[in-house]
Amino acid sequence: MKKQGSDSNPVPVLPVLPEPLKDLKIKYTKIFINNEWHNSVSGKKFEVFNPANEEKICEIEEGDKADVDKAVKAARRAFELGSPWRTMDASERGRLLNKLADLVERDRLILATMEAIDGGKLFSTAYLMDLGACIKTLRYCAGWADKIHGRTVPMDGNFFTFTRHEPIGVCGQIIPWNFPLVMFIWKIAPALCCGNTVVVKPAEQTPLTALYMGSLIKEAGFPPGVVNIVPGFGPTAGAAISHHMDIDKVAFTGSTEVGKLIKEAAGKSNLKRVTLELGGKSPNIIFADADLDTAVEFAHIGLFYHQGQCCIAGSRIFVEEPIYDEFVRRSIERAKKYTLGDPLLPGVQQGPQIDKEQFQKILELIESGKKDGAKLECGGGPWGDKGYFIQPTVFSNVTDDMRIAKEEIFGPVQQIMKFKTVDEVIKRANNTSYGLAAAVFTKDIDKALTFAAALQAGTVWVNCYSAMSAQCPFGGFKMSGNGREMGEYGLHEYTEVKTVTIKIPQKNS
Amino acid sequence: MAGWVSRHGWGLSRRRWVSRHGWAGVPTRVGGCVSRYGWVIRHGRLSRRGPGAPSPRPWPGARRERDPPRAGPAAPAPLRDTASLSSLQIFINNEWHDAVSKKTFPTINPATGEVICQVAEGDKADVDKAVKAARAAFQLGSPWRRMDASHRGKLLNRLADLIERDRAYLAALETLDNGKPYSVSYLVDLDMVVKCLRYFAGWADKFHGKTIPLDGDFFCYTRHEPVGVCGQIIPWNFPLLMQAWKLGPALATGNVVVMKVAEQTPLSALYIANLIKEAGFPPGVVNIIPGYGPTAGAAISSHMDVDKVAFTGSTEVGHLIQKAAAESNLKRVTLELGGKSPNIIMSDADMDWAVDQAHFALFFNQGQCCCAGSRTYVQEDIYHEFVERSVEKAKSRVVGNPFDSKTEQGPQVDEEQYKKILGYISAGKREGAKLLCGGSPAADRGYFIQPTVFGEVQDNMTIAREEIFGPVMQILKFKTIEEVIERANDSKYGLAAAVFTKDLDKANYVSQALRAGTVWVNCYDVFGAQAPFGGYKASGNGRELGEYGLEAYVEVKNVSIPLCEFSSNICCSSKLSLYLLVWA
């Protein structure tokens, strides 16, 4: 068995990183309905800022209820029986998704640059990770299009029974700002491969790449009305989607707070199907027998990746007593190594937080940590004189009752706690309203399997963190969400099962 | 060796041009393909264009034809560039090799009987080389074994892209070597090839193992691992499509392949070898050996280091393959063999459509389909009208130069088949069936046979029991539904079947009663990569295509791990022995 990185087992080769585009033009700023670009019905626009320098990038048409209505009408028409989309071969839906992947690959540099400017995301990360994930997800779902099998059912009596997995219909999809493009693809790709039509609301902070995708969707050849993109705000456009009487399903990724509103709106309106992918406060458990270098690195990346703005962030690190001090020491050392700055520049490892609101919320939580008695080991304040930068921050001696150990911070703030026994840490890890992800680091196969079973979380990593791919289902236990995205499981959320039973003269096995 | 006949190439070791004369019937428009299209024999290997030749044009609108035969976008005219057909070699380890014996064999244009070019003749020694290369490519830690499943899918998609790019060339090659009409090669065969590869590309990262709630304190799961070195022996009737059917599932699931292509039709498969290399498959993953059944085919099926053999061809040879597997290393065997498929026309069926489909079911691809509807059972009260219309339809079928866009039927694949079919026609006449049209050769050279219809066929006649594999239609009469089900199932074959009726109850009843791997209701020859295909009874073992098609290419490995209190080895071993005791 060769370790990864040795000559005979090389690490995967990433594509060569180009320079970000210098003269990025924002061509698409309008509402995308029926494969056409529309002004908002109200005539309103909103501004989009670069979080690295707080400068305005452009103005975007602001969608609201009237625009959502227009989009839903278009999506409904595209979903009518006999429409080009409904009569299309399933394999052709797959071909269109593959074509879309080709176009994303072609425009990878444009999209990555846009994502970096709009979302404060490191260009290198956007280009290699985000865009890589987008392309692979599209291709993965493309492959499923003609493999979503119904069943024939050996029903009692003289009947022939089969199931059809039919698309649900018009799907409202509300996506967050932390991975604007990846979340856009995670939503549309499974929906389209199952044959649905969609009305997508991208986050108001980061609408640019989603709108650019509108142009590629048209170019790929999706019929008009199949994908509609309405940029706007949650309380207006988002609420219009979740309350809409002619939307069959709503999928939301964002905070648990808003998740509750979405489900309530669905209940109050037409009982539309709801899937939610919400917040987390994911435990990361490090045993003394773990490979310490690996554990420190994964724990670090598991928290600080993308400025801590990940729903899966490993924001409660439980370290076994004998190695606690050493683990904290190394974690601080690792956090201090950071270079902050313009996410487009090479060598920069941390960009800004997404906006002023998040920036202030994170600083406030850091203050609460200090006040509650956690030990601030490094960082703890803003960085630079413009842009929403926060120093990489590490807290030790954190206890379970502190706010920073209970609330989702969504910033570069690491909490390290101490534990003694297996039973204790299982209890503490599960003692949260969240259940999105969890990890355990140990060389002991029994511990690994015990935790894999005991942790209440939709994803459990063993000796790794943040390992995600299109093949694996992802979603939350408890208040981290409802349903799963990606993998075969993710398709179930986008189909209705229809049972067809036909009377026959005589049954035979 | 008399039994080693037919479409997979276990046939005559050599054939020569035999001049024929005195044939009545359809005037020939055949001939001149070789010179007309400038196929030349050069040294080196098969390449897309010769020096100074124009680039093959991408054909506008050619990318995607839905439902090609009916939607009817015309196939582009065959490429006229000077394609160079070299003396073709054996493809091993992404490289070209002469046969170890240095022997070659000619491949022949069935429309003219002329030699197209010489092809290296693989035998046991070449199979051994190929198996070694495949085995090396399958070693633990090899690039192929370490590759992400999604990347295997990407390579298959890339191969589909390359085939799409070279679609017109491949279609022409297929027609030249096999004789099927170019419009069919281009619109049907190539379309299905591309779709098949794309379909299996999608499966590569989706064929899931399971986690299993095993009794006791165990964590139990399955892995779907590739079987290993797969020998694949493919026929001449759909050379490219059968290659795609074989390669798609094998490569999607991570196997390595040693493929023997039929000696009648090696050209397109060898061209695909170039594309496999260009797509980026690692060396040794796919190895392609042109050669004969009794030599190269037998070497594969009896090889001690081949883990699985998949064969498409005659039932006769299927027996030999299964026997060879049993006598050697018990390699896994899947077989897709012959058929004598019943096509049942109830009196309430849409007559126009039924006549049309029954004609297509039999005559498609010169009748050279394993699933050909070669027993057409027609209910008594519509029998005469059906026969009359079927004869009319057969008489209007255009036989001729397969490169002519009006041609519906080209030549049979080779002289052996040609003679065999004429033999069956004689038997039909001798045994008292009524010859209603055709019955003779259709040209003075090339292996053309007139579209032939027999009426008043009885179940015990040779033409109603044996696979003819030619343009010869048998129409039988029946009275009741029970009777026809019994007669339809009274065959050693069970590949396909069809029923034409407007009555939902009849459709359901008959489709459940028929003993066949595929049942078509009010249609025939409806194929898609998504739907499994294979035979009951002596028509085969296993299924190809669909999710079911993947099963033949994986071994299921079950892994069980005890769940113990943290790292107490004593507890582990004591629990384990407890479970062993339970078993003992």
Side-chain angles (χ1 to χ4, degrees):
Chain A
M1 190 175 68
K2 308 287 194 315
K3 224 180 161 164
Q4 189 166 57
S6 64
D7 285 348
S8 62
N9 186 9
V11 289
V13 183
L14 291 168
V16 181
L17 186 66
E19 289 204 2
L21 276 183
K22 294 239 159 46
D23 54 344
L24 181 75
K25 303 226 167 35
I26 307 297
K27 271 167 73 182
Y28 305 102
T29 61
K30 295 188 176 184
I31 298 171
F32 184 75
I33 295 174
N34 251 333
N35 283 1
E36 287 158 356
W37 300 99
H38 298 254
N39 290 327
S40 65
V41 173
S42 67
K44 280 204 274 188
K45 295 180 184 196
F46 66 96
E47 296 172 323
V48 176
F49 295 95
N50 179 343
N53 55 23
E54 300 175 49
E55 283 166 16
K56 188 170 101 176
I57 303 169
C58 64
E59 289 191 344
I60 300 284
E61 295 292 324
E62 184 183 332
D64 199 342
K65 187 171 181 313
D67 308 282
V68 168
D69 284 345
K70 265 171 73 178
V72 171
K73 276 207 187 88
R76 179 60 61 196
R77 210 172 311 119
F79 193 72
E80 268 171 14
L81 274 183
S83 73
W85 183 238
R86 292 299 294 279
T87 54
M88 186 180 283
D89 280 344
S91 66
E92 175 67 3
R93 293 201 303 268
R95 201 187 65 80
L96 289 178
L97 282 167
N98 259 326
K99 174 94 199 258
L100 186 58
D102 291 343
L103 298 178
V104 171
E105 222 162 2
R106 182 194 70 190
D107 293 353
R108 187 171 189 159
L109 184 57
I110 298 173
L111 285 161
T113 307
M114 204 178 278
E115 198 80 330
I117 289 171
D118 199 12
K121 190 182 286 278
L122 299 183
F123 171 75
S124 56
T125 308
Y127 188 86
L128 297 174
M129 301 300 171
D130 293 55
L131 267 295
C134 289
I135 292 161
K136 284 192 165 182
T137 301
L138 283 168
R139 295 205 192 283
Y140 178 78
C141 290
W144 269 122
D146 58 357
K147 298 174 184 69
I148 304 165
H149 298 142
R151 295 175 187 171
T152 58
V153 181
M155 185 188 177
D156 283 356
N158 283 327
F159 297 102
F160 165 48
T161 299
F162 61 92
T163 59
R164 279 167 52 82
H165 292 192
E166 297 186 357
I168 295 177
V170 178
C171 299
Q173 304 185 311
I174 305 173
I175 57 175
W177 47 257
N178 57 342
F179 294 89
L181 200 50
V182 177
M183 291 298 109
F184 179 85
I185 302 290
W186 271 37
K187 291 283 180 289
I188 67 157
L192 299 179
C193 94
C194 296
N196 296 278
T197 58
V198 301
V199 175
V200 190
K201 187 196 90 63
E204 70 271 19
Q205 294 90 339
T206 54
L208 301 186
T209 45
L211 292 174
Y212 190 88
M213 285 302 295
S215 74
L216 299 187
I217 284 162
K218 184 177 177 178
E219 184 181 347
F222 286 90
V226 171
V227 179
N228 306 278
I229 305 166
V230 183
F233 291 84
T236 53
I241 287 175
S242 51
H243 281 94
H244 206 288
M245 291 302 287
D246 202 27
I247 285 182
D248 301 302
K249 183 226 157 81
V250 61
F252 170 76
T253 298
S255 72
T256 296
E257 208 184 335
V258 176
K260 286 180 167 180
L261 296 176
I262 303 267
K263 199 149 189 174
E264 213 182 299
K268 273 187 189 159
S269 56
N270 61 346
L271 276 176
K272 56 177 68 66
R273 287 98 194 85
V274 180
T275 48
L276 304 169
E277 201 270 89
L278 309 173
K281 193 75 189 175
S282 299
N284 185 0
I285 298 161
I286 322 284
F287 277 98
D289 67 359
D291 180 323
L292 195 55
D293 287 341
T294 310
V296 168
E297 185 60 23
F298 271 111
H300 176 85
I301 299 289
L303 188 283
F304 288 97
Y305 186 76
H306 191 36
Q307 291 82 259
Q309 301 171 134
C310 300
C311 47
I312 53 168
S315 52
R316 290 185 296 148
I317 301 174
F318 292 97
V319 182
E320 204 175 12
E321 205 178 21
I323 56 162
Y324 184 80
D325 292 333
E326 180 61 13
F327 186 92
V328 170
R329 192 186 64 76
R330 293 205 203 180
S331 295
I332 298 163
E333 203 175 280
R334 180 70 178 82
K336 279 183 173 165
K337 276 189 195 154
Y338 262 96
T339 313
L340 282 74
D342 182 347
L344 292 178
L345 294 178
V348 169
Q349 291 150 324
Q350 185 181 316
Q353 307 308 122
I354 186 73
D355 63 10
K356 195 164 187 181
E357 189 189 335
Q358 286 294 318
F359 174 79
Q360 285 172 340
K361 186 185 137 198
I362 295 162
L363 290 176
E364 197 248 323
L365 276 162
I366 291 174
E367 284 311 304
S368 87
K370 288 195 266 188
K371 209 170 65 212
D372 289 348
K375 185 175 174 202
L376 179 68
E377 298 279 6
C378 68
W383 177 91
D385 48 9
K386 66 175 180 176
Y388 310 120
F389 293 90
I390 291 180
Q391 297 167 358
T393 300
V394 178
F395 277 113
S396 67
N397 293 342
V398 178
T399 55
D400 294 359
D401 55 334
M402 294 176 183
R403 274 184 70 199
I404 54 169
K406 290 199 294 200
E407 295 179 24
E408 191 174 32
I409 301 174
F410 234 61
V413 187
Q414 188 178 41
Q415 290 66 242
I416 311 182
M417 290 105 118
K418 193 186 292 180
F419 77 90
K420 286 185 184 167
T421 72
V422 167
D423 287 341
E424 170 210 337
V425 77
I426 289 176
K427 250 185 223 137
R428 290 172 64 193
N430 285 338
N431 183 26
T432 167
S433 61
Y434 293 114
L436 194 57
V440 57
F441 285 79
T442 176
K443 283 181 188 156
D444 183 328
I445 188 171
D446 295 327
K447 274 184 205 154
L449 293 173
T450 300
F451 276 80
L455 292 168
Q456 296 169 344
T459 294
V460 174
W461 288 295
V462 178
N463 293 334
C464 57
Y465 207 95
S466 312
M468 296 175 71
S469 87
Q471 298 93 3
C472 299
F474 179 78
F477 278 38
K478 301 192 273 185
M479 284 173 67
S480 285
N482 285 182
R484 293 292 177 272
E485 293 187 286
M486 303 320 301
E488 185 173 5
Y489 298 89
L491 305 177
H492 299 171
E493 316 288 357
Y494 285 96
T495 54
E496 292 277 9
V497 176
K498 176 185 280 179
T499 304
V500 181
T501 298
I502 304 177
K503 182 88 181 86
I504 55 173
Q506 185 197 88
K507 171 177 47 195
N508 283 280
S509 60
Chain B
M1 274 306 147
W4 292 61
V5 287
S6 66
R7 70 183 190 274
H8 35 71
W10 306 65
L12 300 174
S13 59
R14 292 288 185 276
R15 73 189 74 65
R16 63 200 165 79
W17 162 248
V18 181
S19 95
R20 300 193 179 87
H21 33 81
W23 296 343
V26 181
T28 180
R29 297 179 52 196
V30 174
C33 284
V34 170
S35 54
R36 180 172 166 202
Y37 296 108
W39 307 89
V40 294
I41 297 163
R42 291 175 60 249
H43 294 290
R45 54 191 164 81
L46 194 64
S47 65
R48 193 150 50 93
R49 55 197 114 117
S55 302
R57 283 167 280 155
W59 303 94
R63 250 183 73 80
R64 202 184 124 71
E65 285 77 23
R66 296 190 52 201
D67 213 0
R70 269 159 286 164
L79 289 170
R80 307 289 170 101
D81 61 337
T82 318
S84 55
L85 294 182
S86 45
S87 66
L88 300 171
Q89 293 172 297
I90 296 170
F91 184 74
I92 296 176
N93 249 334
N94 283 4
E95 288 160 357
W96 296 97
H97 301 255
D98 283 331
V100 172
S101 67
K102 302 290 173 199
K103 279 205 268 188
T104 63
F105 66 94
T107 185
I108 286 165
N109 177 352
T112 62
E114 286 163 7
V115 172
I116 301 167
C117 64
Q118 292 288 322
V119 180
E121 184 185 331
D123 199 341
K124 187 171 183 311
D126 307 284
V127 168
D128 284 344
K129 264 169 78 178
V131 171
K132 278 210 185 85
R135 180 60 64 193
F138 194 70
Q139 286 295 313
L140 270 184
S142 73
W144 182 239
R145 293 297 295 276
R146 287 207 327 269
M147 189 179 283
D148 281 343
S150 66
H151 195 71
R152 291 201 303 268
K154 199 171 174 184
L155 292 182
L156 278 168
N157 258 324
R158 209 179 279 161
L159 180 58
D161 290 342
L162 297 176
I163 292 173
E164 252 178 334
R165 182 194 69 191
D166 297 347
R167 183 173 181 163
Y169 181 85
L170 279 161
L173 209 51
E174 197 80 326
T175 293
L176 183 73
D177 208 12
N178 167 282
K180 63 177 67 198
Y182 174 76
S183 57
V184 174
S185 300
Y186 187 88
L187 294 176
V188 181
D189 293 53
L190 266 296
D191 186 66
M192 290 176 80
V193 166
V194 168
K195 283 184 167 180
C196 173
L197 292 173
R198 293 203 191 287
Y199 176 79
F200 283 109
W203 269 123
D205 58 356
K206 298 176 184 68
F207 196 43
H208 299 140
K210 295 175 182 172
T211 60
I212 296 169
L214 179 65
D215 281 357
D217 289 335
F218 290 97
F219 167 49
C220 174
Y221 65 91
T222 57
R223 276 165 56 81
H224 292 184
E225 297 187 356
V227 175
V229 178
C230 298
Q232 302 185 315
I233 304 173
I234 61 171
W236 49 256
N237 58 341
F238 295 91
L240 277 170
L241 186 58
M242 291 300 107
Q243 188 185 36
W245 280 28
K246 291 282 182 289
L247 290 179
L251 299 178
T253 45
N255 294 278
V256 292
V257 169
V258 174
M259 175 178 280
K260 186 196 92 64
V261 298
E263 74 272 18
Q264 293 88 342
T265 55
L267 298 186
S268 55
L270 291 173
Y271 186 80
I272 293 288
N274 268 334
L275 302 185
I276 285 168
K277 185 177 177 179
E278 185 180 349
F281 285 91
V285 170
V286 180
N287 306 279
I288 300 179
I289 302 177
Y292 290 86
T295 53
I300 288 175
S301 51
S302 56
H303 204 288
M304 291 302 287
D305 202 28
V306 169
D307 300 302
K308 179 216 156 68
V309 61
F311 169 75
T312 298
S314 73
T315 295
E316 257 170 306
V317 176
H319 280 284
L320 296 176
I321 303 267
Q322 184 117 299
K323 214 167 116 188
E327 281 170 357
S328 55
N329 62 348
L330 277 175
K331 56 177 69 64
R332 287 99 195 82
V333 180
T334 47
L335 303 170
E336 201 269 88
L337 309 174
K340 194 75 191 174
S341 301
N343 184 7
I344 300 168
I345 321 290
M346 310 295 298
S347 54
D348 66 355
D350 178 324
M351 175 70 89
D352 290 341
W353 178 243
V355 168
D356 194 64
Q357 288 291 295
H359 175 86
F360 171 63
L362 188 282
F363 290 100
F364 179 64
N365 207 41
Q366 293 71 248
Q368 301 167 142
C369 298
C370 48
C371 57
S374 51
R375 290 184 292 150
T376 309
Y377 287 98
V378 182
Q379 205 161 16
E380 200 176 31
D381 33 346
I382 59 162
Y383 180 80
H384 289 294
E385 188 188 347
F386 187 91
V387 167
E388 197 177 300
R389 290 217 212 169
S390 294
V391 170
E392 209 175 285
K393 199 154 177 60
K395 279 182 176 164
S396 67
R397 191 169 182 82
V398 181
V399 182
N401 177 359
F403 281 100
D404 189 320
S405 64
K406 287 188 286 294
T407 294
E408 292 170 290
Q409 182 177 315
Q412 309 307 124
V413 76
D414 66 7
E415 191 183 355
E416 185 188 343
Q417 285 295 314
Y418 170 84
K419 285 183 165 166
K420 188 178 140 198
I421 295 161
L422 292 176
Y424 275 121
I425 293 174
S426 305
K429 290 193 272 190
R430 202 170 53 239
E431 293 174 17
K434 192 169 168 195
L435 180 67
L436 299 168
C437 69
S440 305
D444 55 5
R445 70 168 186 158
Y447 312 122
F448 294 87
I449 292 180
Q450 295 173 340
T452 300
V453 178
F454 278 110
E456 285 162 36
V457 177
Q458 303 301 316
D459 290 0
N460 58 359
M461 291 177 180
T462 308
I463 55 169
R465 306 211 66 82
E466 294 185 17
E467 191 174 31
I468 300 175
F469 232 64
V472 186
M473 185 180 197
Q474 288 65 239
I475 309 184
L476 307 89
K477 194 188 292 179
F478 75 93
K479 285 183 185 168
T480 71
I481 201 166
E482 282 72 22
E483 171 208 336
V484 76
I485 287 170
E486 204 184 318
R487 290 172 61 192
N489 285 338
D490 181 21
S491 165
K492 70 170 177 173
Y493 294 115
L495 194 57
V499 57
F500 285 78
T501 174
K502 282 182 188 156
D503 184 322
L504 184 57
D505 285 348
K506 283 181 198 159
N508 279 321
Y509 183 70
V510 176
S511 58
Q512 290 191 3
L514 290 168
R515 310 251 310 142
T518 293
V519 175
W520 289 294
V521 178
N522 292 332
C523 56
Y524 209 98
D525 275 347
V526 174
F527 277 93
Q530 302 92 358
F533 180 77
Y536 277 43
K537 302 190 272 184
S539 285
N541 283 182
R543 292 294 177 271
E544 294 188 285
L545 302 183
E547 185 173 3
Y548 297 91
L550 299 171
E551 286 167 11
Y553 286 95
V554 296
E555 292 279 8
V556 175
K557 177 185 280 178
N558 187 267
V559 182
S560 297
I561 308 175
L563 292 166
C564 298
E565 287 305 306
F566 322 105
S567 132
S568 152
N569 288 326
I570 300 154
C571 133
C572 263
S573 47
S574 65
K575 263 192 188 171
L576 211 58
S577 53
L578 203 69
Y579 279 98
L580 291 173
L581 274 176
V582 171
W583 279 101

